[in-house]
Amino acid sequence: MHKFTPDRIQIGISACLLGEQVRFDGGHKNSAYCQQELKPHFDFVPVCPEMAIGMGAPRKSIRQVRIEGEIRVRSADGSIDVTEQLQSFCNEKADGLGFLSGYLFCAKSPTCGMERVPVYKADGSGGFKEGVGVFAAAVMKRFPHLPVEEEGRLHDLVIRENFFTRVYAYHDWHCMRLKGLTRKALTDFHARYKYLLLSHSPAIYRTLGPLLAGDGELDAVADAYFDGFMTALKHKASRRNHTSALQHIQGYFKKFLSGSQKAELSDAILAYRQGVQPLLVPITLIRHYLREHPNDYIAAQVYLNPHPDSLRLRYAY
């Protein structure tokens, strides 16, 4: 029985992406990135809905078919229909995944595709890319703020960094809740995420402070905060917003840095803004100055370390 673990992040994943031979043809879609780059950082929880309902491998392939306005999941020749079995399993399985901090799905699958799943007409024609996998839909409905992504889309470095930023933040939130929700814990959490939120959505960030300042019931405030928090992080951070966050942090050092050091940091931030250097360059310089001139508030900012450097998520943009 799985449960949430503060010390180790658990991510759900389509079993075929881990090399398990569960596809309809008895094959797999093994992901070298997941196996080599991600496994040291996360505990994967593999799921294959088709195997879970006893279809076996190899097996007849299934697809989503629109029949009189209803989406059915069946074989191309119509001899197998597993709609009810899949829906029952997917809903029950999704209910038990509250310990996860993210999910990686296999694209185009009638069960695990996150988007653009082919949906066919009853006569077998069409294949319009308008569907969502039955299991993916159940997971996203049950946990609307859970970071989810399709493995193939992680080749886009901006999408990759955004996904794992959300995974670590989602896990951090639940670690905080596990310790016991208090107004101080909630306020401290918000303070630590100030510059990360500003880099993703300044507009949403400005709504979260007043929300915490209100006198509403604590659990309701926390739920509303989490909704805004995860919505903000889903916005991809822009160079403009990153530059603004970096310049705000730079202001904390103005009394301590020499003229040449100030110029060096300003130049690094400008070079990032212009796309000449990756974000890691000004971040590394700020970390260096922070060691020389400690500041508890800045040192606590998740923005400077939203995920391990070994994931190399800030090297390329």
Side-chain angles (χ1 to χ4, degrees):
M1 183 71 176
H2 291 280
K3 62 179 182 179
F4 181 81
T5 54
D7 298 331
R8 189 73 176 171
I9 295 178
Q10 298 176 86
I11 292 181
I13 190 169
S14 295
C16 58
L17 297 175
L18 294 183
E20 296 186 20
Q21 296 176 318
V22 295
R23 286 175 56 77
F24 74 94
D25 58 0
H28 57 75
K29 295 195 72 173
N30 186 54
S31 166
Y33 178 65
C34 291
Q35 294 278 29
Q36 298 169 15
E37 302 292 331
L38 300 184
K39 258 192 173 181
H41 298 277
F42 306 104
D43 286 342
F44 285 129
V45 179
V47 178
C48 176
E50 291 98 319
M51 293 293 285
I53 64 170
M55 293 189 71
R59 58 181 177 270
K60 282 190 175 183
S61 64
I62 55 175
R63 55 171 59 176
Q64 292 193 6
V65 182
R66 189 181 302 278
I67 301 176
E68 297 181 353
E70 179 188 5
I71 298 295
R72 306 290 300 179
V73 185
R74 65 182 196 177
S75 60
D77 62 9
S79 63
I80 298 175
D81 188 311
V82 291
T83 306
E84 282 74 26
Q85 288 174 273
L86 272 177
Q87 288 177 338
S88 177
F89 165 79
C90 292
N91 290 333
E92 182 179 350
K93 184 67 175 179
D95 283 342
L97 297 179
F99 60 92
L100 296 178
S101 294
Y103 211 110
L104 286 172
F105 290 109
C106 179
K108 302 178 183 178
S109 163
T111 56
C112 294
M114 195 178 82
E115 60 182 14
R116 296 174 58 81
V117 172
V119 178
Y120 294 84
K121 295 181 180 179
D123 62 5
S125 64
F128 303 105
K129 297 179 180 180
E130 59 186 21
V132 178
V134 181
F135 182 54
V139 172
M140 292 189 287
K141 181 179 179 180
R142 179 65 180 82
F143 302 103
H145 295 304
L146 180 72
V148 299
E149 195 50 83
E150 290 181 344
E151 183 272 342
R153 281 167 44 93
L154 297 184
H155 295 297
D156 182 310
L157 299 178
V158 175
I159 290 176
R160 181 190 299 182
E161 198 275 341
N162 179 267
F163 172 70
F164 287 109
T165 292
R166 288 184 290 129
V167 166
Y168 277 89
Y170 190 94
H171 182 78
D172 194 17
W173 171 266
H174 284 90
C175 286
M176 183 271 288
R177 292 297 305 256
L178 188 64
K179 292 177 181 177
L181 180 66
T182 66
R183 291 196 179 273
K184 184 179 186 306
L186 193 53
T187 301
D188 289 348
F189 183 92
H190 180 61
R192 291 193 299 111
Y193 276 91
K194 174 179 179 177
Y195 293 109
L196 188 65
L197 287 167
L198 282 173
S199 70
H200 284 261
S201 178
I204 295 179
Y205 170 77
R206 287 192 289 269
T207 69
L208 295 178
L211 176 65
L212 296 184
D215 56 0
E217 192 271 327
L218 182 57
D219 282 324
V221 170
D223 289 344
Y225 178 87
F226 186 56
D227 178 72
F229 175 74
M230 293 305 299
T231 300
L233 294 185
K234 200 167 186 177
H235 290 262
K236 295 180 180 65
S238 66
R239 286 187 181 271
R240 178 180 178 180
N241 288 342
H242 271 307
T243 299
S244 178
L246 291 166
Q247 290 172 336
H248 274 88
I249 295 174
Q250 181 184 25
Y252 283 87
F253 296 102
K254 62 183 179 181
K255 294 181 180 180
F256 306 103
L257 303 184
S258 67
S260 62
Q261 289 173 322
K262 291 177 184 177
E264 181 183 28
L265 182 52
S266 293
D267 289 346
I269 294 173
L270 179 60
Y272 163 72
R273 178 70 177 91
Q274 295 173 335
V276 176
Q277 292 180 338
L279 180 61
L280 189 64
V281 173
I283 290 289
T284 300
L285 198 52
I286 287 172
R287 290 175 182 171
H288 169 69
Y289 290 143
L290 190 58
R291 287 192 294 270
E292 291 189 349
H293 309 286
N295 180 294
D296 290 343
Y297 180 71
I298 298 301
Q301 288 300 312
V302 175
Y303 178 75
L304 298 179
N305 299 280
H307 29 61
D309 286 345
S310 52
L311 280 172
R312 297 178 293 178
L313 297 173
R314 282 180 162 177
Y315 281 64
Y317 79 101

